[in-house]
Amino acid sequence: MNERSNKQKIILGIQHTLAMFGATVLVPAITGLNTSITLLCAGIGTLMFHYVTKKKVPVFLGSSFAFMGGITAVLGTTSEQALMTNEEFLNRLASVKGALIVSGLIYILFSLLIKIFGYEKVNKILPPIVTGPIIIVIGLRLASTAVSSAFYDGSSGEFSWKYVLITAIILATIIIISVFAKGLFNLMPILFAIIVGYLVCLAFGLCNFDNVSAAHWISFTDKNIVNQLICIPKFNLDAILAIAPIALVTVIEHVGDITTNSAVVGKNFMVDPGIHRTILGDGLATAFAGLIGGPANTTYGENTGVLAVTKVYDPSVIRIAAVFAIVLGIVGKFGAFVSGIPSVVTGAIGIVLYGMISAVGIRILINAKINLGNSRNLIIAAIILVVGIGCNSIPVSDTVTISGLAIAAVLGIVLAMILPNGNDDVIES
């Protein structure tokens, strides 16, 4: 790779910021977390990751979609949050913070285990026949939320043909850009969909800019944002059981992302600096996000896509993008504008994104060549899918419930360990 001027690196950094932007800010828009804090977490989390990985891995950490269902279960939907007092919201946020810190600690534990025993031994606990269906469940559990926001008026709860039309326009935008756009534009269908959706909602009179007018130019002079930042985390068992088990799956997704990044760059990051370091960096970033009130972080395929297009693999360019993310988080007006995205827009985009999460699970099964004609595999997948989707939660005491996703994950892990492997578990090439 040729040395590049600082000016070129800045331009390339802006490009990476644009690539991660749409997906990163969508998570707080859907969950009700603060956009400014989210961007701050993404930027600082990415810099933390680069420090832990010896500045060798060109990865950007953005908001994780996998945790949205768990966060919403604890924090409530954005419609429910609108009816809460500030004290109630902060109390729920404190529980989300504690659960995300525990999620980060799970990453750190995996990092330690991999360092001690090696990745292959730890991976036996979560084989593809377990992780694939669990990721499918994560996406499908969110499906009803997306459909509800996309097709039903949030204020009245009634089905709206106006919302259907807006949703159709947004979906068409995503499809057209994803299929027909070239170069950098092809990497930003979500961002363009947000812009188009906002404009269409503006034409229908669905946008409210009161929050933008009231927002501070500098985010962290806003008392509400400061209160969210300094809110003390609570380690509430209900919240931990709803959110933290998701980390068991996203750790495996992280490994897949680093494998892909290694293939694009042409270096084996699994060995140098080591997958234990990349997981550690992701875990520390997620724990930090939990500490200050942002969503969990994850390695972003969007930025790996930019690497593949530009052929520029310099990690310092990613760090420049991280600095831009921090700057955007500090500008309060911007955060307020994004948080005011109408629910029909986030719902329409959610239809695609939640489907993509499930599609990743299918891809894991395909890449691992799992034979679903095999009775053992079919039973494991079937039980995970039905329990994970059909069971919302199970109470174990007056105050403690276990999410269906956590139950499905435990059942899948146990079944994979006790059911005997066969010669036809995978499809031969």
Side-chain angles (χ1 to χ4, degrees):
M1 181 184 65
N2 296 328
E3 287 295 323
R4 299 180 183 275
S5 68
N6 290 334
K7 183 177 180 180
Q8 289 175 320
K9 287 183 178 181
I10 289 172
I11 294 173
L12 291 167
I14 292 173
Q15 184 171 241
H16 275 283
T17 304
L18 291 173
M20 70 83 191
F21 177 84
T24 295
V25 300
L26 186 60
V27 173
I30 291 175
T31 61
L33 294 173
N34 185 268
T35 303
S36 297
I37 294 175
T38 296
L39 287 167
L40 194 70
C41 290
I44 294 177
T46 298
L47 295 178
M48 292 172 67
F49 176 92
H50 279 246
Y51 177 78
V52 171
T53 57
K54 303 179 180 180
K55 302 180 181 179
K56 291 183 176 182
V57 187
V59 159
F60 191 97
L61 299 186
S63 306
S64 173
F65 289 94
F67 286 85
M68 286 196 297
I71 292 173
T72 301
V74 178
L75 201 58
T77 65
T78 51
S79 299
E80 292 169 340
Q81 291 169 29
L83 303 175
M84 295 178 191
T85 63
N86 188 53
E87 182 179 355
E88 182 182 359
F89 176 80
L90 289 176
N91 186 54
R92 294 194 181 202
L93 177 62
S95 296
V96 171
K97 283 186 168 189
L100 288 176
I101 290 173
V102 173
S103 300
L105 293 177
I106 290 175
Y107 274 79
I108 294 169
L109 176 61
F110 266 84
S111 171
L112 180 61
L113 291 174
I114 292 170
K115 176 65 175 177
I116 295 172
F117 299 108
Y119 173 69
E120 289 303 322
K121 291 183 179 179
V122 177
N123 190 43
K124 290 181 180 179
I125 300 174
L126 288 165
I129 187 55
V130 174
T131 57
I134 289 176
I135 292 175
I136 293 172
V137 167
I138 289 172
L140 294 183
R141 280 174 68 92
L142 294 166
S144 61
T145 302
V147 171
S148 177
S149 297
F151 298 146
Y152 292 83
D153 188 319
S155 58
S156 66
E158 296 181 354
F159 180 84
S160 169
W161 283 108
K162 181 194 299 183
Y163 275 39
V164 172
L165 175 61
I166 296 170
T167 296
I169 293 172
I170 293 170
L171 292 177
T173 302
I174 294 174
I175 293 169
I176 290 170
I177 293 176
S178 297
V179 175
F180 298 107
K182 303 297 182 182
L184 179 62
F185 293 104
N186 180 258
L187 299 173
M188 298 188 292
I190 301 302
L191 178 58
F192 281 110
I194 291 174
I195 294 171
V196 170
Y198 222 123
L199 292 175
V200 174
C201 287
L202 186 63
F204 279 106
L206 297 177
C207 295
N208 187 333
F209 298 103
D210 292 345
N211 289 338
V212 178
S213 301
H216 296 230
W217 277 105
I218 304 300
S219 300
F220 306 107
T221 59
D222 186 328
K223 184 179 178 181
N224 289 330
I225 295 178
V226 172
N227 286 339
Q228 291 184 37
L229 276 171
I230 64 175
C231 173
I232 304 298
K234 290 183 180 179
F235 295 94
N236 178 289
L237 188 56
D238 279 352
I240 291 171
L241 291 175
I243 295 174
I246 299 170
L248 296 172
V249 178
T250 54
V251 164
I252 306 304
E253 184 182 358
H254 169 99
V255 174
D257 289 340
I258 296 300
T259 301
T260 302
N261 195 274
S262 297
V264 169
V265 177
K267 295 181 180 179
N268 190 353
F269 297 131
M270 306 286 284
V271 175
D272 181 22
I275 189 65
H276 65 285
R277 281 186 172 273
T278 65
I279 291 177
L280 175 61
D282 207 339
L284 290 173
T286 293
F288 171 76
L291 182 65
I292 69 172
N297 283 320
T298 189
T299 48
Y300 257 32
E302 290 89 340
N303 294 91
T304 299
V306 174
L307 296 176
V309 171
T310 63
K311 311 298 182 187
V312 178
Y313 310 131
D314 185 352
S316 69
V317 172
I318 304 292
R319 294 193 288 274
I320 290 172
V323 172
F324 277 118
I326 293 170
V327 172
L328 287 174
I330 292 173
V331 181
K333 294 285 187 183
F334 174 78
F337 180 80
V338 173
S339 65
I341 295 174
S343 61
V344 63
V345 178
T346 57
I349 293 171
I351 290 174
V352 175
L353 292 181
Y354 301 155
M356 285 181 174
I357 293 173
S358 293
V360 169
I362 296 171
R363 187 181 68 194
I364 286 175
L365 294 173
I366 293 172
N367 290 346
K369 299 180 180 179
I370 298 298
N371 181 12
L372 288 177
N374 172 278
S375 297
R376 171 185 180 271
N377 293 340
L378 197 60
I379 288 171
I380 295 171
I383 290 176
I384 291 174
L385 290 171
V386 172
V387 173
I389 297 171
C391 176
N392 185 37
S393 63
I394 291 180
V396 295
S397 73
D398 292 338
T399 58
V400 178
T401 60
I402 301 177
S403 73
L405 177 62
I407 296 169
V410 170
L411 288 174
I413 291 170
V414 171
L415 287 173
M417 292 176 68
I418 65 175
L419 294 180
N421 292 312
N423 295 328
D424 60 345
D425 277 357
V426 297
I427 301 172
E428 298 294 333
S429 301

